Amino acid sequence: MSKPAASARFLARESPAKLQVARSEGSVLYDSAGRKYIDFVMGWCVGNFGWGAAAATRAVERYSGPDYVYPGYTYAPWHELAALLVALAPRGLTKAYRATGGSEAVDLALQAAMVHTGRKRFLSLEESYHGNTIGALSVAASENRERCRNLLAGCDRIKAPLDAKKLGAVEQRLKRRETAAVIMEPVSINLGVMVPDAFFMSGLQRLCRRYGTLLVMDEVASGFGRTGKQFACEHYDLTPDVMCIAKAVTAGVMPMGAMLSTDAIAKSMQDGNAYSTYGWHPRSVAAALATLRYVERHRERLLERVMKTSGYFEERLLAMRIGARAEVRVKGLAIALELERPADASDLQKRCRKAGLLVTAEDSVVLLLPALTIDRATAAAGLDILESCLRRRAGA
Ligand SMILES: Cc1ncc(COP(=O)(O)O)c(C=O)c1O
């Protein structure tokens, strides 16, 4: 397992002088002064297929259905989209719930776990991030407890490293049979591309089954090819009880989220009447259907391309002078550079931005999340900028 960042949470907090975005295209953003930036942030796992992704953009431009569908009615494309999501998802996930984004999907997952198990405790990873609702904040980093004084009680956390020893600590908690769900990102991008041990993940699934706790995989950031698999939980051949998705599902063209569950959980939820006024708006559905059909059609080619580009990034990064104690962590196109000090990361981010490359920095980690479809020339140009900024830093 790779070493996690000390407390890396990338809550889309950017440097103080915010970029005034005017236009985006492929892997490039333009600011209001017409300056061009190579984008290695891509809206933080939203623009997986490049800005202006043709299929989703066209689907929304050509959309000619109802302006809106009241959740009390039904709408054929909702069923089509649910079927597509279920077909792409790990086996056993058969129902999809409508949401407007990742936080709402996570809240639905917590709700489903409480209703299905009749329990109220949760277990999650220390320093994690699952969104901005009270439920999502409750299961994320402990520091939220100091900021918001009335979060859900009974939210326990375990700390990385996630290894065999940690399974013992998990079992101590789960065996009390009070924990409704364990929720985590299968590859934690928010923890600076923290990749759990395969032994830990299969043990976790076994313990959840043994003690009647649901396993919730938050794939909001890691889903849709980001880590080199369609969903990151496939690295461990897991069959989660619940999965949350959002971000790249519409290629960034419209907002959307979804919670996927098993039949048994849906039955406890009374077959899924979770009201969300704008959940799965018809135009969002059009964008998602187009994106998922594209993903389904080009699945092998897309994932092969991710792995090829990932290899190129890794090779280039390992050849750079990042620092003796720095670490490079790569899982597909989720890439973290852990530098020695937080100041190094924010300094590098600022230098890159000045030189025309966008990256994120939190604590001592710089994160690179390029489009899965980035072409070699743009990837090379971005990495050249990064390398020259690192070189200038080393020489400073
Ligand atoms: C792992 C994870 N879960 C949930 C969310 C929340 O998603 P949203 O911002 O769409 O509500 C995020 C957002 O960054 C995330 O990274």
Side-chain angles (χ1 to χ4, degrees):
M1 196 197 88
S2 45
K3 181 167 130 311
S7 62
R9 286 172 303 106
F10 298 83
L11 312 184
R13 284 194 226 124
E14 273 299 324
S15 49
K18 284 196 175 155
L19 189 75
Q20 290 267 357
V21 179
R23 201 156 64 79
S24 57
E25 189 175 57
S27 283
V28 168
L29 282 187
Y30 294 88
D31 71 12
S32 51
R35 238 194 121 208
K36 177 179 164 181
Y37 300 86
I38 293 175
D39 193 354
F40 281 0
V41 179
M42 295 307 290
W44 223 95
C45 305
V46 170
N48 282 16
F49 313 108
W51 300 127
T57 308
R58 247 196 330 261
V60 174
E61 280 168 4
R62 293 181 188 168
Y63 174 78
S64 67
D67 266 351
Y68 174 75
V69 181
Y70 165 62
Y73 302 153
T74 192
Y75 178 54
W78 283 345
H79 299 285
E80 251 175 273
L81 178 56
L84 254 179
L85 282 171
V86 161
L88 279 175
R91 65 186 179 278
L93 297 173
T94 53
K95 299 276 184 214
Y97 291 75
R98 301 189 292 274
T100 49
S103 303
E104 195 182 339
V106 165
D107 244 50
L108 274 169
L110 302 181
Q111 195 187 127
M114 290 195 272
V115 170
H116 184 68
T117 64
R119 302 173 181 177
K120 58 185 181 190
R121 298 194 79 89
F122 292 102
L123 185 62
S124 56
L125 299 189
E126 187 54 271
E127 299 296 344
S128 58
Y129 181 72
H130 294 286
N132 228 350
T133 57
I134 293 297
L137 291 172
S138 298
V139 294
S142 298
E143 77 178 41
N144 295 337
R145 298 220 157 262
E146 288 149 39
R147 284 196 305 128
C148 314
R149 306 247 160 210
N150 201 15
L151 296 181
L152 294 179
C155 294
D156 305 315
R157 289 161 190 82
I158 46 164
K159 279 193 174 143
L162 301 183
D163 52 17
K165 215 163 126 203
K166 207 49 58 76
L167 276 180
V170 171
E171 182 158 23
Q172 284 309 311
R173 287 194 166 86
L174 299 196
K175 75 194 229 192
R176 293 181 211 137
R177 296 183 186 270
E178 293 171 349
T179 303
V182 174
I183 179 168
M184 63 182 284
E185 291 183 274
V187 166
S188 182
I189 302 179
N190 284 280
L191 277 162
V193 189
M194 189 274 288
V195 186
D197 203 283
F199 182 79
F200 174 86
M201 291 305 271
S202 54
L204 178 66
Q205 168 115 60
R206 208 171 40 249
L207 290 176
C208 283
R209 293 272 142 86
R210 186 178 302 157
Y211 298 113
T213 296
L214 300 189
L215 183 60
V216 178
M217 288 289 120
D218 181 345
E219 296 264 9
V220 166
S222 57
F224 303 108
R226 171 60 54 191
T227 68
K229 298 273 187 194
Q230 196 62 255
F231 295 104
C233 62
E234 293 169 27
H235 289 292
Y236 316 98
D237 199 22
L238 295 182
T239 51
D241 303 294
V242 175
M243 192 166 92
C244 304
I245 56 128
K247 293 194 188 263
V249 64
T250 56
V253 171
M254 297 297 290
M256 173 175 283
M259 185 273 275
L260 273 65
S261 85
T262 59
D263 264 346
I265 294 168
K267 284 240 157 359
S268 303
M269 292 280 279
Q270 294 175 356
D271 273 333
N273 278 321
Y275 194 98
S276 174
T277 296
Y278 277 114
W280 291 23
H281 185 278
R283 283 181 173 79
S284 298
V285 172
L289 281 172
T291 304
L292 297 184
R293 284 182 189 132
Y294 162 84
V295 161
E296 211 183 26
R297 232 181 5 258
H298 302 288
R299 187 185 181 120
E300 296 309 318
R301 204 155 50 85
L302 261 171
L303 296 178
E304 260 171 39
R305 184 166 175 180
V306 170
M307 292 320 291
K308 223 167 153 185
T309 310
S310 169
Y312 175 66
F313 268 80
E314 187 163 20
E315 191 185 306
R316 287 281 317 261
L317 291 168
L318 291 175
M320 291 180 197
R321 283 178 53 205
I322 296 175
R325 277 184 285 153
E327 187 177 296
V328 177
R329 292 188 290 270
V330 179
K331 195 74 177 168
L333 286 173
I335 300 167
L337 311 183
E338 179 145 13
L339 305 178
E340 279 170 39
R341 296 165 305 154
D344 297 335
S346 63
D347 181 56
L348 182 61
Q349 180 195 26
K350 282 184 203 132
R351 281 173 193 274
C352 286
R353 162 128 166 231
K354 234 174 163 175
L357 173 70
L358 301 175
V359 299
T360 60
E362 180 84 18
D363 290 333
S364 51
V365 176
V366 168
L367 207 52
L368 314 182
L369 301 164
L372 312 187
T373 51
I374 192 169
D375 62 79
R376 183 56 64 90
T378 310
L383 287 164
D384 288 347
I385 294 174
L386 184 72
E387 187 166 20
S388 74
C389 292
L390 278 164
R391 214 178 293 127
R392 263 183 275 143
R393 187 180 65 105

